[in-house]
Amino acid sequence: MPRVAARPAPPERSERVREIVAAGRALLAAEGPDTLTMRRVGEVVGIRAASLYKHLPGKPALEAALVEDALFAIGDQLHAVVDAASAADVVTSLVAEYRRFAFANASLYRLATSGRVDRSLFVPGLDDWSGEPFYRATGDPWVAQALFGATHGLVVLEMDDAFSNSSDLGATWRAMAAAFTR
């Protein structure tokens, strides 16, 4: 299915803001979400936390920038998967890449999907564009939302070790993808 939503232009950021966001991303990946404070990011960047506010209005803006970057990254990856996959393999390939991205960026994934980030701070159209690969893979907006919900749910359950030790998660993922393949 062809693309419908145009890829929005990434936000214009100063070099210092890019440095602050990169420090936040590294801190989030290395130490987890509880350590993502303006004070700790300031330490990593080498400036006082109060000086960070000259560049970003606060932690919510930093979190929004981190999630915005993540949505551009996963959107690019998922669109590439849908572009390259055959109709028979598109759902399987899409959910595999989504799962891979989520686990490779676990703390960022949790931040992005926790619902606590003010999405009005994102570049307009980013949510629609980054989620569009699910629509492109299914051809139906409601099935796309169901596929996203199932994929996200399996990722979170797997991250939380909610399945029994005897569970074959590979088989679970294959069954979920098969259920959404037409």
Side-chain angles (χ1 to χ4, degrees), residues 142-172:
W142 311 122
V143 174
Q145 285 183 351
L147 176 59
F148 170 75
T151 304
H152 169 67
L154 277 179
V155 163
V156 170
L157 289 168
E158 187 175 355
M159 284 181 169
D160 290 346
D161 291 323
F163 293 102
S164 73
N165 291 338
S166 63
S167 183
D168 181 350
L169 292 179
T172 301

Side-chain angles (χ1 to χ4, degrees), residues 25 34 50 59 65 70 73 113 117 127 159 175:
R25 186 178 315 110
D34 294 338
K59 184 178 174 185
T113 61
V117 174
D127 267 334
M159 284 181 169

Side-chain angles (χ1 to χ4, degrees), residues 81-91 93:
V81 164
V82 173
D83 288 343
S86 69
D89 295 330
V90 68
V91 172
S93 298

